[in-house]
Short mmCIF file of all heavy atoms in Angstrom, two decimals:
data_model
loop_
_atom_site.label_atom_id
_atom_site.label_comp_id
_atom_site.label_asym_id
_atom_site.label_seq_id
_atom_site.Cartn_x
_atom_site.Cartn_y
_atom_site.Cartn_z
N TRP A 1 50.22 12.54 9.94
CA TRP A 1 48.88 12.48 10.49
C TRP A 1 48.66 13.72 11.36
O TRP A 1 47.45 14.18 11.39
CB TRP A 1 48.72 11.25 11.44
CG TRP A 1 48.59 9.96 10.62
CD1 TRP A 1 49.54 9.01 10.48
CD2 TRP A 1 47.39 9.54 9.93
NE1 TRP A 1 49.12 8.04 9.68
CE2 TRP A 1 47.78 8.33 9.30
CE3 TRP A 1 46.17 10.06 9.71
CZ2 TRP A 1 46.90 7.63 8.52
CZ3 TRP A 1 45.31 9.30 8.88
CH2 TRP A 1 45.60 8.13 8.39
N ALA A 2 49.56 14.30 11.94
CA ALA A 2 49.39 15.46 12.82
C ALA A 2 48.84 16.68 12.01
O ALA A 2 48.11 17.45 12.51
CB ALA A 2 50.63 15.89 13.55
N LYS A 3 49.18 16.76 10.71
CA LYS A 3 48.77 17.90 9.97
C LYS A 3 47.64 17.48 9.05
O LYS A 3 47.02 18.27 8.27
CB LYS A 3 49.86 18.32 8.98
CG LYS A 3 51.07 18.90 9.78
CD LYS A 3 52.07 19.41 8.81
CE LYS A 3 53.22 20.00 9.60
NZ LYS A 3 54.31 20.58 8.71
N HIS A 4 47.02 16.31 9.23
CA HIS A 4 45.85 15.88 8.46
C HIS A 4 44.59 16.67 8.87
O HIS A 4 44.17 16.49 10.03
CB HIS A 4 45.63 14.38 8.55
CG HIS A 4 44.51 13.82 7.68
ND1 HIS A 4 44.55 13.88 6.31
CD2 HIS A 4 43.28 13.44 7.97
CE1 HIS A 4 43.41 13.37 5.80
NE2 HIS A 4 42.65 13.14 6.82
N VAL A 5 44.02 17.44 7.99
CA VAL A 5 42.88 18.21 8.34
C VAL A 5 41.63 17.32 8.13
O VAL A 5 41.40 16.83 7.09
CB VAL A 5 42.74 19.50 7.49
CG1 VAL A 5 41.51 20.22 7.83
CG2 VAL A 5 44.03 20.39 7.71
N VAL A 6 40.79 17.26 9.19
CA VAL A 6 39.58 16.51 9.08
C VAL A 6 38.41 17.43 9.13
O VAL A 6 38.25 18.19 10.05
CB VAL A 6 39.44 15.51 10.24
CG1 VAL A 6 38.11 14.77 10.18
CG2 VAL A 6 40.58 14.46 10.18
N LYS A 7 37.49 17.40 8.11
CA LYS A 7 36.33 18.23 8.14
C LYS A 7 35.16 17.44 8.58
O LYS A 7 35.02 16.33 8.33
CB LYS A 7 36.08 18.75 6.62
CG LYS A 7 37.06 19.73 6.09
CD LYS A 7 36.63 20.21 4.83
CE LYS A 7 37.50 21.24 4.20
NZ LYS A 7 36.98 21.67 2.89
N LEU A 8 34.35 18.22 9.33
CA LEU A 8 33.05 17.60 9.76
C LEU A 8 32.14 17.61 8.56
O LEU A 8 31.91 18.62 7.93
CB LEU A 8 32.43 18.30 10.94
CG LEU A 8 33.16 18.30 12.26
CD1 LEU A 8 32.54 19.09 13.27
CD2 LEU A 8 33.31 16.88 12.73
N CYS A 9 31.54 16.42 8.26
CA CYS A 9 30.63 16.33 7.12
C CYS A 9 29.19 16.63 7.72
O CYS A 9 28.69 15.90 8.53
CB CYS A 9 30.69 14.93 6.59
SG CYS A 9 29.70 14.86 5.08
N SER A 10 28.67 17.76 7.42
CA SER A 10 27.37 18.12 8.03
C SER A 10 26.18 17.95 7.08
O SER A 10 25.01 18.09 7.50
CB SER A 10 27.43 19.58 8.54
OG SER A 10 27.73 20.46 7.45
N SER A 11 26.36 17.68 5.81
CA SER A 11 25.24 17.48 4.91
C SER A 11 25.72 16.73 3.67
O SER A 11 26.90 16.80 3.32
CB SER A 11 24.50 18.82 4.53
OG SER A 11 25.37 19.59 3.77
N GLY A 12 24.70 16.15 3.00
CA GLY A 12 25.03 15.44 1.78
C GLY A 12 23.95 14.52 1.38
O GLY A 12 22.86 14.58 1.94
N THR A 13 24.27 13.65 0.45
CA THR A 13 23.28 12.62 0.02
C THR A 13 23.80 11.24 0.32
O THR A 13 24.89 10.94 0.21
CB THR A 13 23.16 12.68 -1.53
OG1 THR A 13 22.79 14.04 -1.88
CG2 THR A 13 22.15 11.73 -2.10
N LYS A 14 22.96 10.47 0.82
CA LYS A 14 23.24 9.05 1.15
C LYS A 14 22.32 8.08 0.30
O LYS A 14 21.12 8.34 0.09
CB LYS A 14 22.88 8.75 2.59
CG LYS A 14 23.90 9.35 3.62
CD LYS A 14 25.07 8.54 3.68
CE LYS A 14 25.93 9.11 4.83
NZ LYS A 14 27.19 8.47 5.02
N HIS A 15 22.92 7.06 -0.23
CA HIS A 15 22.30 6.01 -0.94
C HIS A 15 22.14 4.80 0.01
O HIS A 15 23.24 4.28 0.44
CB HIS A 15 22.96 5.68 -2.22
CG HIS A 15 22.28 4.59 -3.07
ND1 HIS A 15 21.10 4.93 -3.75
CD2 HIS A 15 22.50 3.33 -3.18
CE1 HIS A 15 20.75 3.76 -4.25
NE2 HIS A 15 21.58 2.83 -4.02
N LEU A 16 21.02 4.43 0.37
CA LEU A 16 20.74 3.41 1.37
C LEU A 16 19.96 2.24 0.73
O LEU A 16 19.25 2.41 -0.28
CB LEU A 16 20.00 3.87 2.61
CG LEU A 16 20.58 5.19 3.23
CD1 LEU A 16 19.58 5.75 4.17
CD2 LEU A 16 21.86 4.78 3.93
N HIS A 17 20.04 1.10 1.39
CA HIS A 17 19.22 -0.06 0.89
C HIS A 17 18.48 -0.65 2.11
O HIS A 17 19.11 -1.01 3.08
CB HIS A 17 20.13 -1.13 0.27
CG HIS A 17 19.31 -2.24 -0.20
ND1 HIS A 17 18.53 -2.31 -1.36
CD2 HIS A 17 19.05 -3.56 0.32
CE1 HIS A 17 17.91 -3.46 -1.44
NE2 HIS A 17 18.21 -4.24 -0.42
N HIS A 18 17.17 -0.83 2.00
CA HIS A 18 16.33 -1.39 3.01
C HIS A 18 15.85 -2.79 2.46
O HIS A 18 15.41 -2.77 1.26
CB HIS A 18 15.17 -0.46 3.36
CG HIS A 18 14.41 -0.95 4.58
ND1 HIS A 18 13.44 -1.91 4.41
CD2 HIS A 18 14.51 -0.63 5.83
CE1 HIS A 18 12.94 -2.20 5.64
NE2 HIS A 18 13.60 -1.42 6.48
N PRO A 19 15.91 -3.77 3.26
CA PRO A 19 15.53 -5.07 2.77
C PRO A 19 14.06 -5.25 2.30
O PRO A 19 13.74 -6.05 1.52
CB PRO A 19 15.86 -6.05 3.97
CG PRO A 19 15.95 -5.15 5.16
CD PRO A 19 16.42 -3.81 4.63
N GLU A 20 13.23 -4.37 2.90
CA GLU A 20 11.76 -4.40 2.57
C GLU A 20 11.30 -3.52 1.48
O GLU A 20 10.43 -3.81 0.68
CB GLU A 20 10.94 -4.25 3.72
CG GLU A 20 11.14 -5.36 4.77
CD GLU A 20 10.27 -5.18 5.98
OE1 GLU A 20 9.18 -4.50 5.90
OE2 GLU A 20 10.70 -5.62 7.07
N VAL A 21 11.92 -2.30 1.33
CA VAL A 21 11.41 -1.29 0.38
C VAL A 21 12.51 -0.95 -0.69
O VAL A 21 12.26 -0.21 -1.52
CB VAL A 21 10.92 -0.05 1.14
CG1 VAL A 21 9.79 -0.32 1.97
CG2 VAL A 21 12.13 0.61 1.88
N GLY A 22 13.71 -1.57 -0.56
CA GLY A 22 14.68 -1.36 -1.63
C GLY A 22 15.56 -0.12 -1.40
O GLY A 22 15.82 0.32 -0.32
N ASP A 23 16.03 0.43 -2.49
CA ASP A 23 16.95 1.52 -2.49
C ASP A 23 16.26 2.84 -2.18
O ASP A 23 15.17 3.17 -2.58
CB ASP A 23 17.71 1.64 -3.85
CG ASP A 23 18.60 0.49 -4.09
OD1 ASP A 23 19.01 -0.19 -3.20
OD2 ASP A 23 18.88 0.17 -5.30
N LEU A 24 17.00 3.65 -1.43
CA LEU A 24 16.50 5.01 -1.02
C LEU A 24 17.67 5.91 -1.23
O LEU A 24 18.85 5.71 -0.90
CB LEU A 24 16.08 5.05 0.41
CG LEU A 24 15.01 4.05 0.91
CD1 LEU A 24 15.46 3.30 2.13
CD2 LEU A 24 13.83 4.86 1.18
N ASP A 25 17.42 7.10 -1.85
CA ASP A 25 18.31 8.21 -1.88
C ASP A 25 17.74 9.28 -0.99
O ASP A 25 16.74 9.81 -1.17
CB ASP A 25 18.45 8.74 -3.37
CG ASP A 25 19.14 7.73 -4.17
OD1 ASP A 25 20.26 7.22 -3.79
OD2 ASP A 25 18.58 7.36 -5.30
N THR A 26 18.57 9.61 0.01
CA THR A 26 18.16 10.61 1.04
C THR A 26 19.12 11.76 1.12
O THR A 26 20.36 11.58 0.84
CB THR A 26 17.88 10.00 2.37
OG1 THR A 26 19.13 9.54 2.95
CG2 THR A 26 16.88 8.88 2.34
N HIS A 27 18.65 12.94 1.49
CA HIS A 27 19.58 14.04 1.84
C HIS A 27 19.67 14.03 3.39
O HIS A 27 18.62 13.81 4.06
CB HIS A 27 18.93 15.40 1.40
CG HIS A 27 19.74 16.55 1.78
ND1 HIS A 27 20.96 16.91 1.14
CD2 HIS A 27 19.62 17.41 2.79
CE1 HIS A 27 21.47 17.88 1.75
NE2 HIS A 27 20.73 18.24 2.73
N TYR A 28 20.89 14.13 3.85
CA TYR A 28 21.04 14.13 5.29
C TYR A 28 21.67 15.41 5.77
O TYR A 28 22.33 16.13 5.01
CB TYR A 28 21.91 12.93 5.75
CG TYR A 28 23.34 13.14 5.42
CD1 TYR A 28 24.29 13.69 6.37
CD2 TYR A 28 23.87 12.62 4.14
CE1 TYR A 28 25.59 13.90 6.01
CE2 TYR A 28 25.22 12.79 3.87
CZ TYR A 28 26.05 13.41 4.82
OH TYR A 28 27.32 13.54 4.57
N GLN A 29 21.36 15.74 6.95
CA GLN A 29 22.04 16.89 7.61
C GLN A 29 22.43 16.36 9.10
O GLN A 29 21.68 15.62 9.70
CB GLN A 29 21.09 18.07 7.80
CG GLN A 29 20.81 18.71 6.47
CD GLN A 29 19.89 19.94 6.52
OE1 GLN A 29 18.91 19.97 7.27
NE2 GLN A 29 20.40 21.02 5.98
N ALA A 30 23.58 16.77 9.47
CA ALA A 30 24.07 16.37 10.77
C ALA A 30 24.33 17.56 11.67
O ALA A 30 24.90 18.58 11.23
CB ALA A 30 25.38 15.60 10.69
N LEU A 31 23.86 17.56 12.91
CA LEU A 31 23.97 18.60 13.81
C LEU A 31 25.01 18.03 14.87
O LEU A 31 24.76 17.10 15.61
CB LEU A 31 22.68 19.00 14.55
CG LEU A 31 22.85 19.95 15.73
CD1 LEU A 31 23.42 21.32 15.28
CD2 LEU A 31 21.49 20.13 16.37
N HIS A 32 26.21 18.53 14.80
CA HIS A 32 27.30 18.08 15.71
C HIS A 32 27.07 18.82 17.03
O HIS A 32 27.10 20.08 17.22
CB HIS A 32 28.63 18.43 15.20
CG HIS A 32 28.91 17.65 13.89
ND1 HIS A 32 29.44 16.35 13.93
CD2 HIS A 32 28.65 17.98 12.59
CE1 HIS A 32 29.51 15.94 12.69
NE2 HIS A 32 28.99 16.92 11.82
N LEU A 33 26.74 18.03 18.06
CA LEU A 33 26.42 18.62 19.37
C LEU A 33 27.71 19.03 20.16
O LEU A 33 28.62 18.19 20.36
CB LEU A 33 25.59 17.65 20.21
CG LEU A 33 24.36 17.11 19.56
CD1 LEU A 33 23.75 16.02 20.32
CD2 LEU A 33 23.36 18.26 19.27
N PRO A 34 27.75 20.30 20.59
CA PRO A 34 28.95 20.73 21.34
C PRO A 34 28.96 20.02 22.66
O PRO A 34 28.02 19.77 23.31
CB PRO A 34 28.72 22.23 21.54
CG PRO A 34 27.20 22.45 21.38
CD PRO A 34 26.74 21.34 20.46
N ASP A 35 30.25 19.71 23.13
CA ASP A 35 30.45 19.06 24.41
C ASP A 35 29.73 17.81 24.58
O ASP A 35 29.20 17.44 25.62
CB ASP A 35 30.14 20.09 25.53
CG ASP A 35 30.88 21.37 25.49
OD1 ASP A 35 32.12 21.30 25.05
OD2 ASP A 35 30.36 22.41 25.78
N ALA A 36 29.53 17.03 23.50
CA ALA A 36 28.69 15.85 23.56
C ALA A 36 29.61 14.62 23.16
O ALA A 36 29.04 13.61 22.75
CB ALA A 36 27.51 15.90 22.69
N ASP A 37 30.88 14.59 23.29
CA ASP A 37 31.74 13.52 22.96
C ASP A 37 31.47 12.87 21.62
O ASP A 37 31.36 11.65 21.53
CB ASP A 37 31.71 12.50 24.10
CG ASP A 37 32.21 13.01 25.39
OD1 ASP A 37 33.15 13.86 25.37
OD2 ASP A 37 31.65 12.63 26.44
N GLY A 38 31.31 13.66 20.62
CA GLY A 38 31.06 13.12 19.26
C GLY A 38 29.71 12.78 18.91
O GLY A 38 29.41 12.31 17.84
N GLN A 39 28.80 12.97 19.81
CA GLN A 39 27.35 12.71 19.51
C GLN A 39 26.84 13.74 18.47
O GLN A 39 27.29 14.84 18.42
CB GLN A 39 26.49 12.72 20.75
CG GLN A 39 26.77 11.58 21.69
CD GLN A 39 25.78 11.65 22.86
OE1 GLN A 39 24.80 12.24 22.84
NE2 GLN A 39 26.17 10.95 23.87
N ARG A 40 25.97 13.23 17.67
CA ARG A 40 25.37 14.13 16.58
C ARG A 40 23.95 13.76 16.32
O ARG A 40 23.54 12.61 16.56
CB ARG A 40 26.15 14.22 15.35
CG ARG A 40 26.39 12.86 14.78
CD ARG A 40 27.47 12.89 13.71
NE ARG A 40 27.78 11.53 13.42
CZ ARG A 40 28.28 11.10 12.33
NH1 ARG A 40 28.56 11.96 11.38
NH2 ARG A 40 28.49 9.86 12.13
N LEU A 41 23.13 14.71 15.88
CA LEU A 41 21.81 14.41 15.53
C LEU A 41 21.73 14.43 14.00
O LEU A 41 22.17 15.40 13.39
CB LEU A 41 20.89 15.52 16.09
CG LEU A 41 19.46 15.49 15.62
CD1 LEU A 41 18.72 14.23 16.24
CD2 LEU A 41 18.69 16.78 16.11
N LEU A 42 21.25 13.27 13.48
CA LEU A 42 21.11 13.16 11.97
C LEU A 42 19.72 13.13 11.52
O LEU A 42 18.85 12.52 12.15
CB LEU A 42 21.79 11.85 11.54
CG LEU A 42 23.22 11.59 11.68
CD1 LEU A 42 23.61 10.22 11.49
CD2 LEU A 42 23.99 12.58 10.77
N THR A 43 19.44 13.83 10.42
CA THR A 43 18.08 13.82 9.75
C THR A 43 18.28 13.29 8.41
O THR A 43 19.27 13.68 7.68
CB THR A 43 17.36 15.11 9.81
OG1 THR A 43 18.10 16.05 9.05
CG2 THR A 43 17.12 15.65 11.18
N HIS A 44 17.40 12.50 7.93
CA HIS A 44 17.39 12.00 6.52
C HIS A 44 16.03 12.35 5.95
O HIS A 44 15.04 12.05 6.49
CB HIS A 44 17.54 10.46 6.44
CG HIS A 44 19.02 10.08 6.72
ND1 HIS A 44 19.94 9.80 5.73
CD2 HIS A 44 19.65 9.87 7.88
CE1 HIS A 44 21.06 9.48 6.34
NE2 HIS A 44 20.91 9.52 7.62
N THR A 45 15.98 13.08 4.77
CA THR A 45 14.80 13.40 4.14
C THR A 45 14.89 12.97 2.69
O THR A 45 15.91 12.74 2.12
CB THR A 45 14.53 14.91 4.21
OG1 THR A 45 15.62 15.61 3.66
CG2 THR A 45 14.37 15.30 5.65
N ALA A 46 13.73 12.93 1.99
CA ALA A 46 13.60 12.65 0.61
C ALA A 46 12.58 13.61 -0.01
O ALA A 46 11.60 14.06 0.64
CB ALA A 46 13.20 11.22 0.35
N PRO A 47 12.81 14.02 -1.31
CA PRO A 47 11.88 14.96 -1.91
C PRO A 47 10.43 14.37 -1.98
O PRO A 47 10.35 13.21 -2.30
CB PRO A 47 12.47 15.16 -3.29
CG PRO A 47 13.88 14.76 -3.18
CD PRO A 47 13.89 13.70 -2.16
N ARG A 48 9.48 15.21 -1.69
CA ARG A 48 8.08 14.74 -1.78
C ARG A 48 7.72 14.13 -3.09
O ARG A 48 8.09 14.74 -4.09
CB ARG A 48 7.11 15.91 -1.40
CG ARG A 48 5.66 15.49 -1.44
CD ARG A 48 4.87 16.60 -0.93
NE ARG A 48 5.07 16.72 0.54
CZ ARG A 48 4.77 17.74 1.29
NH1 ARG A 48 4.24 18.77 0.81
NH2 ARG A 48 5.04 17.70 2.53
N GLY A 49 7.04 13.01 -3.19
CA GLY A 49 6.79 12.41 -4.45
C GLY A 49 7.74 11.56 -5.12
O GLY A 49 7.45 10.82 -6.02
N SER A 50 8.95 11.57 -4.59
CA SER A 50 10.03 10.73 -5.10
C SER A 50 9.84 9.26 -4.68
O SER A 50 9.09 8.98 -3.73
CB SER A 50 11.42 11.22 -4.60
OG SER A 50 11.56 10.92 -3.26
N SER A 51 10.45 8.30 -5.32
CA SER A 51 10.33 6.93 -4.98
C SER A 51 10.95 6.70 -3.60
O SER A 51 10.40 5.89 -2.80
CB SER A 51 11.04 6.05 -5.97
OG SER A 51 12.39 6.32 -6.07
N SER A 52 11.95 7.50 -3.18
CA SER A 52 12.48 7.34 -1.83
C SER A 52 11.51 7.78 -0.78
O SER A 52 11.32 7.23 0.27
CB SER A 52 13.81 8.14 -1.70
OG SER A 52 14.78 7.56 -2.51
N SER A 53 10.82 8.91 -1.04
CA SER A 53 9.74 9.38 -0.22
C SER A 53 8.70 8.44 0.02
O SER A 53 8.17 8.17 1.09
CB SER A 53 9.22 10.75 -0.69
OG SER A 53 8.21 11.20 0.05
N ASN A 54 8.28 7.76 -1.18
CA ASN A 54 7.21 6.78 -1.06
C ASN A 54 7.63 5.63 -0.24
O ASN A 54 6.87 5.04 0.55
CB ASN A 54 6.81 6.31 -2.48
CG ASN A 54 6.16 7.54 -3.24
OD1 ASN A 54 5.56 8.47 -2.67
ND2 ASN A 54 6.16 7.47 -4.51
N ALA A 55 8.89 5.21 -0.35
CA ALA A 55 9.45 4.04 0.43
C ALA A 55 9.43 4.33 1.86
O ALA A 55 9.02 3.54 2.71
CB ALA A 55 10.74 3.69 -0.12
N LEU A 56 9.83 5.58 2.26
CA LEU A 56 9.85 6.06 3.56
C LEU A 56 8.43 6.06 4.17
O LEU A 56 8.22 5.64 5.38
CB LEU A 56 10.50 7.42 3.75
CG LEU A 56 12.03 7.44 3.56
CD1 LEU A 56 12.54 8.88 3.41
CD2 LEU A 56 12.75 6.64 4.59
N ARG A 57 7.45 6.51 3.35
CA ARG A 57 6.09 6.52 3.88
C ARG A 57 5.58 5.14 4.06
O ARG A 57 4.95 4.79 5.01
CB ARG A 57 5.20 7.15 2.80
CG ARG A 57 3.74 7.35 3.26
CD ARG A 57 2.98 8.28 2.44
NE ARG A 57 3.57 9.55 2.20
CZ ARG A 57 3.52 10.61 3.07
NH1 ARG A 57 3.02 10.40 4.28
NH2 ARG A 57 4.11 11.72 2.76
N LEU A 58 5.98 4.11 3.18
CA LEU A 58 5.59 2.68 3.49
C LEU A 58 6.13 2.23 4.76
O LEU A 58 5.46 1.50 5.55
CB LEU A 58 6.14 1.79 2.33
CG LEU A 58 5.39 1.92 0.97
CD1 LEU A 58 6.08 1.11 -0.06
CD2 LEU A 58 3.89 1.48 1.12
N LEU A 59 7.44 2.52 5.01
CA LEU A 59 7.98 2.11 6.26
C LEU A 59 7.32 2.76 7.55
O LEU A 59 7.05 2.13 8.56
CB LEU A 59 9.50 2.45 6.36
CG LEU A 59 10.38 1.66 5.41
CD1 LEU A 59 11.81 2.29 5.45
CD2 LEU A 59 10.43 0.26 5.88
N ASP A 60 6.99 4.03 7.39
CA ASP A 60 6.22 4.70 8.50
C ASP A 60 4.89 4.04 8.66
O ASP A 60 4.56 3.77 9.80
CB ASP A 60 6.10 6.21 8.12
CG ASP A 60 5.35 6.93 9.14
OD1 ASP A 60 5.66 6.85 10.38
OD2 ASP A 60 4.29 7.64 8.82
N ASP A 61 4.14 3.75 7.56
CA ASP A 61 2.87 3.14 7.69
C ASP A 61 2.91 1.78 8.37
O ASP A 61 2.16 1.39 9.21
CB ASP A 61 2.18 2.97 6.36
CG ASP A 61 1.72 4.32 5.86
OD1 ASP A 61 1.71 5.39 6.58
OD2 ASP A 61 1.41 4.36 4.59
N ALA A 62 3.99 1.00 7.95
CA ALA A 62 4.16 -0.33 8.49
C ALA A 62 4.45 -0.26 9.95
O ALA A 62 4.04 -1.07 10.86
CB ALA A 62 5.28 -1.07 7.78
N MET A 63 5.27 0.77 10.46
CA MET A 63 5.69 0.88 11.78
C MET A 63 4.42 1.31 12.64
O MET A 63 4.20 0.90 13.76
CB MET A 63 6.79 1.85 12.04
CG MET A 63 8.15 1.42 11.42
SD MET A 63 8.67 -0.20 12.06
CE MET A 63 9.02 0.31 13.79
N THR A 64 3.63 2.16 12.02
CA THR A 64 2.38 2.63 12.66
C THR A 64 1.39 1.57 13.03
O THR A 64 0.85 1.50 14.14
CB THR A 64 1.67 3.71 11.83
OG1 THR A 64 2.57 4.76 11.54
CG2 THR A 64 0.39 4.26 12.57
N VAL A 65 1.33 0.57 12.11
CA VAL A 65 0.39 -0.55 12.43
C VAL A 65 1.05 -1.72 13.07
O VAL A 65 0.46 -2.73 13.32
CB VAL A 65 -0.37 -1.00 11.15
CG1 VAL A 65 -1.30 0.06 10.63
CG2 VAL A 65 0.59 -1.51 10.07
N GLY A 66 2.34 -1.60 13.23
CA GLY A 66 3.17 -2.68 13.89
C GLY A 66 3.39 -3.88 13.04
O GLY A 66 3.66 -5.00 13.55
N ALA A 67 3.27 -3.75 11.74
CA ALA A 67 3.44 -4.84 10.85
C ALA A 67 4.95 -5.08 10.40
O ALA A 67 5.20 -6.13 9.83
CB ALA A 67 2.52 -4.68 9.63
N ALA A 68 5.70 -4.11 10.63
CA ALA A 68 7.12 -4.25 10.11
C ALA A 68 8.07 -4.87 11.12
O ALA A 68 7.83 -4.78 12.30
CB ALA A 68 7.76 -2.93 9.71
N SER A 69 8.99 -5.65 10.60
CA SER A 69 10.06 -6.09 11.57
C SER A 69 10.95 -4.93 11.91
O SER A 69 10.66 -3.79 11.41
CB SER A 69 10.86 -7.18 10.81
OG SER A 69 11.36 -6.69 9.65
N ALA A 70 11.94 -5.12 12.68
CA ALA A 70 12.82 -4.13 13.06
C ALA A 70 13.36 -3.38 11.71
O ALA A 70 13.75 -4.00 10.76
CB ALA A 70 14.03 -4.57 13.84
N VAL A 71 13.34 -2.05 11.78
CA VAL A 71 13.84 -1.30 10.62
C VAL A 71 15.35 -1.20 10.68
O VAL A 71 15.98 -0.63 11.51
CB VAL A 71 13.18 0.10 10.60
CG1 VAL A 71 13.84 0.93 9.47
CG2 VAL A 71 11.69 0.04 10.51
N VAL A 72 15.91 -1.90 9.65
CA VAL A 72 17.40 -1.84 9.50
C VAL A 72 17.73 -1.32 8.10
O VAL A 72 17.34 -1.87 7.08
CB VAL A 72 18.00 -3.24 9.68
CG1 VAL A 72 19.49 -3.25 9.48
CG2 VAL A 72 17.59 -3.85 11.03
N VAL A 73 18.44 -0.19 8.11
CA VAL A 73 18.83 0.41 6.77
C VAL A 73 20.32 0.35 6.69
O VAL A 73 21.07 0.79 7.58
CB VAL A 73 18.32 1.87 6.65
CG1 VAL A 73 18.75 2.46 5.36
CG2 VAL A 73 16.81 1.90 6.83
N GLU A 74 20.83 -0.28 5.63
CA GLU A 74 22.23 -0.41 5.50
C GLU A 74 22.71 0.44 4.30
O GLU A 74 21.98 0.59 3.32
CB GLU A 74 22.58 -1.90 5.23
CG GLU A 74 22.18 -2.85 6.35
CD GLU A 74 22.31 -4.25 5.93
OE1 GLU A 74 22.69 -4.56 4.75
OE2 GLU A 74 22.09 -5.08 6.78
N PRO A 75 23.92 1.00 4.32
CA PRO A 75 24.48 1.70 3.16
C PRO A 75 24.46 0.77 1.98
O PRO A 75 24.79 -0.43 2.13
CB PRO A 75 25.85 2.05 3.55
CG PRO A 75 25.83 2.07 5.08
CD PRO A 75 24.80 1.02 5.47
N ALA A 76 24.11 1.28 0.81
CA ALA A 76 24.05 0.44 -0.40
C ALA A 76 25.60 0.21 -0.77
O ALA A 76 26.43 1.07 -0.57
CB ALA A 76 23.35 1.10 -1.54
N PRO A 77 25.83 -0.89 -1.44
CA PRO A 77 27.23 -1.12 -1.92
C PRO A 77 27.66 -0.02 -2.87
O PRO A 77 26.79 0.44 -3.70
CB PRO A 77 27.10 -2.54 -2.56
CG PRO A 77 25.76 -3.04 -2.27
CD PRO A 77 24.93 -1.98 -1.79
N SER A 78 28.88 0.25 -2.77
CA SER A 78 29.42 1.26 -3.71
C SER A 78 29.53 0.65 -5.13
O SER A 78 29.78 -0.50 -5.28
CB SER A 78 30.84 1.64 -3.29
OG SER A 78 30.77 2.27 -2.03
N VAL A 79 29.25 1.50 -6.12
CA VAL A 79 29.39 0.97 -7.48
C VAL A 79 30.51 1.52 -8.16
O VAL A 79 31.10 2.47 -7.95
CB VAL A 79 28.13 1.46 -8.31
CG1 VAL A 79 27.52 0.23 -8.99
CG2 VAL A 79 27.17 2.26 -7.57
#
């Protein structure tokens, strides 16, 4: 274990599942904050016009009007 090299994962693709809008494929980027005890800032984006982008817009609209329940996004099961 002492020689096990661990790389910080700073970007990639995540497949998520939301109970109201279904599956989302997002690109994420992580900013690892120096001197922050492991804290990091994550952003998730989807290409404009994609089904994932449309689903994110639906969630945004629902939150804006207060019609959505708490937004809970879980990683999709591995296939």
